[in-house]
Amino acid sequence: MSTCPFCHPTLDPHQTIIAENDSCYFLMHDHEQDILVGSGVIVPKAHRATTFD
């Protein structure tokens, strides 16, 4: 998973880490802000098999 944009958010120059803690990032992407300005995604730093793991 070395090319995963969520595991390695700095690989995409258009993606910005807005906030982070030990377990997750809040990411915003310059090219994906068309619909709702200021929106982003909260991504866990560790892969899990399901949402509830």
Side-chain angles (χ1 to χ4, degrees):
M1 301 240 173
S2 63
T3 60
C4 176
F6 299 120
C7 290
H8 306 281
T10 57
L11 292 179
D12 185 345
H14 299 287
Q15 187 161 261
T16 306
I17 300 172
I18 301 300
E20 79 176 282
N21 63 22
D22 292 338
S23 61
C24 63
Y25 301 106
F26 176 66
L27 304 173
M28 290 177 71
H29 197 280
D30 294 345
H31 294 179
E32 303 297 333
Q33 297 296 311
D34 308 4
I35 298 171
L36 185 59
V37 175
S39 64
V41 294
I42 297 172
V43 180
K45 290 183 176 180
H47 279 277
R48 301 287 189 238
T50 71
T51 304
F52 301 105
D53 285 342

